[in-house]
Amino acid sequence: NCMFLSLSVSLTLSKDEGGFDQFTQSYQSYGVQMQLGGGLLFREWAPGAHALFLTGDFNAWEKLSNPFTPKAFGKWELSLPPKADGSPAIQHLSKLKLVIKTKDGEYLFRISPWAKYVTKTLDSVTYDWIHWDPPHPYKHQHQRPLRPRCLRIYEAHVGIASPREEIASYKNFTLDVLPRVKDLGYNCIQLMAVLEHAYYASFGYQVTNFFAASSRFGTPDDLKALVDEAHSLGITVLLDMVHSHASSNTEDGLNHFDGTDSCFFHAGSRGEHSHWGSRLFNYGSWEVSRFLLSNLRWWVDEYGFDGFRFDGITSMLYHHHGIGVSFSGSYSDYFGMHVDEDAVVHLMLSNYTLHKLYPECITIAEDVSGMPGLCRPIQEGGLGFDYRLAMAVPDKWIQILKEVKDEDWDMWNIVHTLTNRRRGEDSICYAESHDQALVGDKSLAFWLMDKEMYTNMSTLIAMTPVIDRGMQLHKLIRLLTHSLGGEGYLNFMGNEFGHPEWLDFPRKGNNESYRYARRQFNLVDTEHLRYRQLYAFDRDMNHAEDEYGWLSSGLAVVSTLDQADKVIVFERAKLLFIFNFHPSISYSHYRVAVQHAGKYKILLNSDEVQYGGHGRIQQDTEFCSEPLAFRNRPNSFLVSFISVTFTDCKVKFLLVNSSNALPKNGNHTIFPSLLM
């Protein structure tokens, strides 16, 4: 049946669309297209319209003077010849509008769904369609980097990527943020809120214009330059893609585009998301498939993006959209009449298109349900994603910090949460993302240190117990997550240095303030502030992973999981990681198990002064293994640290790597990341 369906679709595409490649590049034939000789061809799909017209600056806004010609299947076309001097009939940056005459005789002003650039003036509440046809379009100078072996993602929002209380620009991100990403050792950025969205505070999740890069940050060429510069630095660029729903805006969105409540969406209540207030695509529609598949290819072909993080997959997969549903892990949660098969097939098509035509493309699924096979190949019956987000992990860390005393931390539960992922399906793990930074929640740093971050983060004064505990736990939580939790790692920008406060976009509830809609990089640029120490640890953690590749090395082997001692020890990538989370006890002569015999050296030590530690561990300390079996490993050695106590904070961690296991330099290295 699958083979027959595939053949049938292939034959239909070849006959009616010129083939799969042309069908999925319909941005080259829909919207506005330049023709040989300077003419312009306009093509739209508006099956519910009675008539269609084009108006704008070019015809002095004469509403009905340029009618479209109806074609089969609800399509409309309009040709505009060039001017007498051979120039296009519509100039670059001219304003345009579609005029839809409904079957009830009403006239509606709309923006083309394929519009490539829309802008809004300060005194307007809606966006304008701007004809984008620059005389000298931007040309990419740099090749895409190779797909990273180990994905370390810097999740970022262009508009808040500045300490200034304003909307930052693509140019600012290119000049100021990309060098930081490179220095930190992240090899991938994931850009949020790029697709145009009328409401800034929606964080980009109420998309109005799917082919338009948000003009509030700059021009399309500015974004292309950003991607190009990232590629020159060897940084892969992913786009946060929202195909799970669309804004309910009508004048500058897709809603009621042709005067009906369907067109791109399901009609009636099925086409409305009750919690998000947005519209839901009809994934079984041929034209919706054209639109969304072409949208993916547009961002790859035109802007040079290297892949996508697909938002809101859970809402797509199920007719109930995950609302009020608790996923227990039973297979009945994932298979049945509640599954939206059209959406499942659409996601398979999306991944097939991207991976077939762009073999190096990366796709990541945001799914809270745990759908089996999400990241298995399509030929196996999977949906074809490369990675899934490990969404339970940040929730676990926040739950622990909110509800559990330090002495009651459950080591088994922490390790279980970090390692509980579907076999054969790669995960992107993270301690916190943008979700945990939003107003109403707190970042890890704020949960740990709260108001003392305003007064006690200076190295010119002694660390208070709260800052000491917060600094050490911030490092340990992030490294434990990084090293044990997945096959890729993600960090939201600013959180690497413990960005204070929450993230809140300007809105009526805060008097349209930008105070919390920014990232205060000035804090990490100030030498005497401890934010700089957290930044340094995050940087060296990433560079260590880059050298030793634990994210791509397979699952870790946990040898010690001691609830009483609060100690976690595991091996991964021929490195030994040792964590001590006990709040009041430091250990000396603590035996740890290892697989590989040899000499072990410290690679990363979170107790170093440069990381905000106390400098109690000699960085040049060496540990020689003994052929003494311990905890089901053939070798072991004693970790010897002086026991030091300090008020209310004795968090400890050690990460080590053996001296015979690393072919790069012939030395095996230890990773003590802190025994405090």
Side-chain angles (χ1 to χ4, degrees):
N1 289 339
C2 290
M3 292 180 61
F4 175 78
L5 177 61
S6 175
L7 179 61
S8 176
V9 171
S10 178
L11 290 173
T12 302
L13 284 171
S14 298
K15 177 183 177 183
D16 299 330
E17 301 289 351
F20 184 75
D21 188 58
Q22 189 166 322
F23 177 73
T24 57
Q25 280 187 312
S26 290
Y27 64 80
Q28 296 180 344
S29 54
Y30 280 71
V32 188
Q33 303 298 328
M34 179 68 72
Q35 303 295 293
L36 293 176
L40 293 175
L41 175 65
F42 293 77
R43 179 179 288 126
E44 300 291 346
W45 177 65
H50 179 71
L52 195 63
F53 306 87
L54 182 70
T55 188
D57 292 336
F58 77 101
N59 68 359
W61 294 95
E62 287 287 339
K63 187 168 69 174
L64 307 179
S65 60
N66 292 93
F68 282 69
T69 301
K71 300 292 183 178
F73 306 111
K75 298 170 187 176
W76 302 81
E77 290 184 2
L78 167 65
S79 293
L80 292 180
K83 295 180 180 179
D85 61 2
S87 63
I90 300 176
Q91 300 301 306
H92 176 52
L93 299 182
S94 296
K95 289 185 180 181
L96 295 171
K97 283 283 189 183
L98 293 174
V99 181
I100 306 283
K101 183 181 180 182
T102 71
K103 292 178 179 178
D104 294 330
E106 182 183 6
Y107 288 94
L108 306 173
F109 288 90
R110 295 288 186 260
I111 292 176
S112 170
W114 305 82
K116 299 175 178 63
Y117 189 50
V118 298
T119 65
K120 184 173 76 69
T121 57
L122 291 177
D123 58 349
S124 176
V125 295
T126 59
Y127 277 77
D128 294 312
W129 174 17
I130 305 298
H131 180 56
W132 184 257
D133 184 25
H136 304 290
Y138 185 87
K139 296 185 182 298
H140 291 270
Q141 303 297 313
H142 305 283
Q143 291 185 339
R144 302 175 189 272
L146 295 176
R147 177 172 171 155
R149 174 188 58 152
C150 302
L151 204 58
R152 301 182 299 276
I153 303 172
Y154 197 76
E155 184 184 40
H157 184 291
V158 169
I160 65 172
S162 165
R164 295 183 293 275
E165 295 186 28
E166 61 186 22
I167 298 177
S169 66
Y170 297 123
K171 289 182 177 180
N172 166 77
F173 195 96
T174 303
L175 295 173
D176 191 51
V177 181
L178 284 180
R180 298 177 189 271
V181 176
K182 179 68 174 179
D183 179 61
L184 281 163
Y186 292 95
N187 54 22
C188 177
I189 56 174
Q190 179 180 294
L191 291 181
M192 306 176 64
V194 169
L195 279 66
E196 192 60 271
H197 48 291
Y199 185 41
Y200 189 42
S202 76
F203 220 148
Y205 291 124
Q206 293 279 345
V207 177
T208 49
N209 311 98
F210 285 80
F211 287 82
S214 182
S215 60
R216 55 171 57 86
F217 311 134
T219 69
D221 283 357
D222 293 339
L223 176 57
K224 292 174 185 177
L226 185 164
V227 175
D228 202 19
E229 178 63 17
H231 286 168
S232 77
L233 297 173
I235 297 173
T236 295
V237 188
L238 305 182
L239 180 63
D240 201 355
M241 178 55 69
V242 187
H243 280 181
S244 51
H245 63 131
S247 168
S248 60
N249 285 18
T250 55
E251 291 191 39
D252 50 11
L254 294 180
N255 192 19
H256 285 256
F257 170 67
D258 64 354
T260 70
D261 74 335
S262 53
C263 196
F264 289 94
F265 310 111
H266 288 292
S269 60
R270 188 181 176 189
E272 299 176 359
H273 197 291
S274 60
H275 279 38
W276 297 344
S278 51
R279 297 305 312 273
L280 300 174
F281 287 106
N282 177 4
Y283 300 108
S285 164
W286 185 271
E287 293 301 326
V288 170
S289 291
R290 178 201 305 280
F291 183 77
L292 295 178
L293 295 177
S294 297
N295 189 233
L296 294 173
R297 295 201 63 186
W298 164 257
W299 292 103
V300 176
D301 296 343
E302 185 71 12
Y303 285 91
F305 282 96
D306 304 296
F308 303 93
R309 178 260 199 191
F310 283 74
D311 176 71
I313 294 299
T314 308
S315 177
M316 297 176 67
L317 291 175
Y318 310 99
H319 292 298
H320 53 61
H321 310 299
I323 299 172
V325 177
S326 178
F327 293 94
S328 64
S330 168
Y331 281 106
S332 62
D333 292 340
Y334 310 114
F335 304 104
M337 297 302 292
H338 55 288
V339 175
D340 189 332
E341 294 185 356
D342 286 341
V344 170
V345 171
H346 171 74
L347 290 172
M348 295 171 73
L349 274 172
S350 297
N351 279 303
Y352 173 82
T353 301
L354 292 170
H355 291 117
K356 178 72 173 179
L357 299 174
Y358 314 100
E360 295 290 299
C361 187
I362 299 168
T363 59
I364 302 171
E366 187 213 30
D367 170 40
V368 72
S369 76
M371 168 67 82
L374 197 66
C375 300
R376 294 303 301 169
I378 294 170
Q379 58 266 32
E380 294 181 4
L383 272 68
F385 285 97
D386 297 300
Y387 299 91
R388 66 195 314 153
L389 293 178
M391 301 182 71
V393 173
D395 291 342
K396 173 56 64 176
W397 286 124
I398 294 296
Q399 180 256 325
I400 290 172
L401 294 179
K402 287 172 65 174
E403 302 174 6
V404 184
K405 296 178 181 179
D406 288 0
E407 59 268 26
D408 295 332
W409 282 27
D410 186 333
M411 298 296 102
W412 182 90
N413 186 248
I414 290 171
V415 169
H416 173 73
T417 302
L418 286 166
T419 57
N420 182 28
R421 50 191 186 269
R422 293 197 179 278
R423 173 168 253 172
E425 298 193 44
D426 290 345
S427 295
I428 302 293
C429 201
Y430 53 104
E432 53 184 338
S433 69
H434 71 276
D435 288 325
Q436 286 69 44
L438 290 172
V439 66
D441 204 339
K442 295 180 183 179
S443 66
L444 289 179
F446 222 42
W447 277 114
L448 289 164
M449 295 175 278
D450 205 68
K451 62 183 180 181
E452 289 206 20
M453 298 188 77
Y454 296 114
T455 56
N456 297 327
M457 287 294 281
S458 172
T459 59
L460 304 179
I461 62 174
M463 269 199 292
T464 66
V466 169
I467 295 299
D468 200 351
R469 171 183 177 272
M471 290 280 293
Q472 314 318 329
L473 277 177
H474 193 272
K475 290 178 285 185
L476 303 191
I477 289 172
R478 298 173 77 78
L479 182 53
L480 182 59
T481 303
H482 200 310
S483 56
L484 189 59
E487 291 70 39
Y489 178 74
L490 178 143
N491 164 67
F492 179 61
M493 69 174 180
N495 287 354
E496 70 277 2
F497 62 82
H499 195 284
E501 301 173 335
W502 48 85
L503 179 62
D504 190 14
F505 286 88
R507 53 189 174 84
K508 289 183 180 180
N510 63 14
N511 295 318
E512 304 296 337
S513 171
Y514 286 87
R515 179 178 178 182
Y516 300 112
R518 59 190 178 122
R519 296 280 92 178
Q520 299 181 61
F521 291 112
N522 55 298
L523 297 175
V524 78
D525 292 338
T526 305
E527 290 192 12
H528 70 273
L529 294 182
R530 298 190 187 279
Y531 300 103
R532 196 176 184 89
Q533 298 171 337
L534 295 177
Y535 177 100
F537 183 79
D538 198 85
R539 177 195 63 212
D540 292 351
M541 173 179 69
N542 280 320
H543 284 291
E545 196 290 324
D546 185 53
E547 182 174 359
Y548 296 100
W550 62 69
L551 287 171
S552 63
S553 67
L555 297 177
V557 177
V558 180
S559 59
T560 299
L561 189 53
D562 197 304
Q563 188 74 335
D565 292 347
K566 299 287 188 259
V567 172
I568 300 169
V569 181
F570 60 88
E571 294 171 276
R572 192 176 186 188
K574 299 181 181 177
L575 301 171
L576 181 66
F577 296 79
I578 308 172
F579 294 81
N580 178 5
F581 281 98
H582 203 291
S584 58
I585 299 177
S586 294
Y587 301 104
S588 61
H589 305 291
Y590 198 92
R591 185 164 294 278
V592 294
V594 292
Q595 177 68 31
H596 302 283
K599 183 184 293 182
Y600 284 75
K601 297 180 180 180
I602 296 173
L603 175 63
L604 181 65
N605 169 14
S606 67
D607 196 40
E608 283 195 70
V609 173
Q610 64 169 316
Y611 304 142
H614 297 271
R616 293 165 298 194
I617 303 172
Q618 292 294 322
Q619 189 68 18
D620 58 355
T621 302
E622 294 183 347
F623 305 83
C624 293
S625 69
E626 307 172 65
L628 179 61
F630 184 62
R631 296 187 184 274
N632 298 317
R633 309 301 274 172
N635 301 286
S636 62
F637 62 84
L638 292 174
V639 178
S640 301
F641 293 106
I642 298 173
S643 180
V644 181
T645 62
F646 53 94
T647 307
D648 295 333
C649 183
K650 293 217 173 49
V651 182
K652 303 140 187 156
F653 161 75
L654 173 69
L655 163 63
V656 197
N657 167 15
S658 107
S659 155
N660 299 330
L662 292 176
K664 289 191 176 183
N665 54 20
N667 291 324
H668 288 243
T669 311
I670 280 192
F671 248 119
S673 213
L674 173 67
L675 264 154
M676 303 190 331

